[in-house]
Amino acid sequence: MLSFYVALSIALLVVDVRFRTLEVLRQGLSMFTHPVQHLAHFPAQFLDNAGSYFATLTRLQDENAELKRARLENVATLLRSQQIEVENQRLRKLLGVKERQQVSGQVAQILYSARDPYARRVVIDKGQQDKVVAGQPVIDDAGIVGQVTRVFPFVAEVTLITDKEQAVPVQVVRTGLRSVVFGLGSGQLELRFVPANADIQNGDVLVTSGLDGIFPPGFPVAKVVHIESDTAYSFARIFCVPLAGVEHFSEVMVLDPRPPVVLPEELASEATGKDGKASARSGQAKKKRLKRD
């Protein structure tokens, strides 16, 4: 009898493998066995969920207590900062200094990195439908991340400041020295066009100067970490690391484009005159070439 059942089992296995005759039966049985399996795993899942719930609750309580303590510790500094801001506004009005431009933007999520291994670019979940345009600055909670370079209907591509093709005009906070920082493609930056005898030190913080008309002034960009100064060369090699989380996936903010700078009437007329003279010279040159031909 045992041999019969063994032979029958082997025959059913062979038939099922070759002709898939028991596939429908197997699917039907899975509909009944799935609830049983779910019930069998329920106690273990319940214990795991209960443990994670209490662990999460304890962690949240600790974080809440820590945040309350930090808020109480920083309340004096916050009140002092508010007072200084009010005094600053009053003094700027007394001196007739123009107020700094207020920045605004929209939060975006970094989806993934670009497929090009030699470029430092990321793709965000905002595009043309969100009124994102090429050239908009991108920041996070620590500083400048990059700049929007390509826009699609639902996503946009952001070139990070560490990319080899990216350059940002910056200013040294300590000395006010202005220069341009370039990406090296390796997660670092290089501050170029700085004289070898310039007053710059390791740890100096670089912020945007705003001279390019793209990045608002005063946003943190990088920190100096290494200086190679040789009197045989005119410029020093200054390496920096970005302050923003450019190599980490997180949420960022896409700032609204800066309004175009309106030139005074004297400068505008002078620029128009130069353009007119240049076009006239080019027209005369074309006529001379036509006569020669």
Side-chain angles (χ1 to χ4, degrees):
M1 182 63 69
L2 180 60
S3 301
F4 171 76
Y5 285 114
V6 170
L8 181 61
S9 301
I10 295 174
L12 291 175
L13 289 173
V14 172
V15 171
D16 182 43
V17 171
R18 293 183 60 87
F19 302 103
R20 301 288 181 179
T21 55
L22 301 179
E23 187 67 27
V24 178
L25 179 62
R26 187 181 296 105
Q27 294 179 357
L29 290 175
S30 65
M31 297 177 59
F32 296 98
T33 58
H34 179 72
V36 177
Q37 293 176 351
H38 184 72
L39 290 175
H41 289 290
F42 180 76
Q45 292 178 352
F46 176 78
L47 293 176
D48 292 340
N49 294 333
S52 61
Y53 169 77
F54 288 111
T56 304
L57 181 61
T58 303
R59 186 176 69 254
L60 290 176
Q61 290 176 348
D62 295 339
E63 291 179 357
N64 189 21
E66 184 178 355
L67 290 175
K68 287 182 178 180
R69 184 170 57 255
R71 182 176 63 85
L72 293 176
E73 292 176 353
N74 296 328
V75 65
T77 305
L78 178 61
L79 294 176
R80 180 60 178 167
S81 300
Q82 293 175 353
Q83 180 183 358
I84 293 175
E85 182 66 23
V86 173
E87 292 179 356
N88 188 24
Q89 292 178 0
R90 181 173 59 84
L91 291 174
R92 293 178 72 88
K93 290 179 181 179
L94 290 175
L95 295 174
V97 180
K98 184 179 179 182
E99 293 290 338
R100 283 187 178 271
Q101 178 187 353
Q102 299 295 327
V103 296
S104 59
Q106 55 182 325
V107 177
Q109 183 73 32
I110 296 180
L111 300 177
Y112 52 87
S113 299
R115 296 180 178 85
D116 187 357
Y118 300 101
R120 291 294 183 267
R121 297 184 178 92
V122 294
V123 177
I124 59 175
D125 62 348
K126 301 294 182 182
Q128 293 175 348
Q129 64 171 359
D130 303 293
K131 299 182 180 179
V132 175
V133 296
Q136 288 186 246
V138 180
I139 65 172
D140 65 0
D141 57 345
I144 297 293
V145 172
Q147 180 181 1
V148 176
T149 50
R150 289 199 298 177
V151 183
F152 303 96
F154 301 103
V155 297
E157 188 179 76
V158 177
T159 300
L160 305 178
I161 59 175
T162 53
D163 188 85
K164 290 183 178 180
E165 299 181 358
Q166 190 70 9
V168 182
V170 295
Q171 187 173 15
V172 181
V173 174
R174 184 177 58 87
T175 61
L177 177 68
R178 289 190 296 269
S179 185
V180 182
V181 68
F182 292 82
L184 296 177
S186 60
Q188 286 190 333
L189 307 167
E190 183 179 0
L191 186 65
R192 299 179 184 174
F193 312 122
V194 177
N197 59 351
D199 181 14
I200 190 166
Q201 303 173 3
N202 289 330
D204 280 345
V205 177
L206 311 178
V207 298
T208 52
S209 62
L211 297 180
D212 57 353
I214 297 176
F215 294 98
F219 279 84
V221 178
K223 181 175 66 174
V224 177
V225 294
H226 181 64
I227 302 174
E228 295 180 2
S229 182
D230 191 349
T231 56
Y233 299 97
S234 301
F235 299 107
R237 296 204 65 185
I238 303 173
F239 299 94
C240 314
V241 293
L243 294 176
V246 295
E247 302 293 340
H248 306 284
F249 290 177
S250 61
E251 291 183 342
V252 296
M253 173 173 283
V254 182
L255 299 182
D256 295 335
R258 296 179 63 186
V261 178
V262 180
L263 295 176
E265 295 182 359
E266 296 81 1
L267 294 179
S269 59
E270 183 179 353
T272 305
K274 290 182 178 180
D275 293 340
K277 292 179 181 179
S279 60
R281 286 195 297 266
S282 62
Q284 293 176 0
K286 289 182 181 179
K287 289 180 181 180
K288 290 180 180 180
R289 286 196 299 268
L290 291 174
K291 289 181 181 179
R292 292 176 182 176
D293 295 339

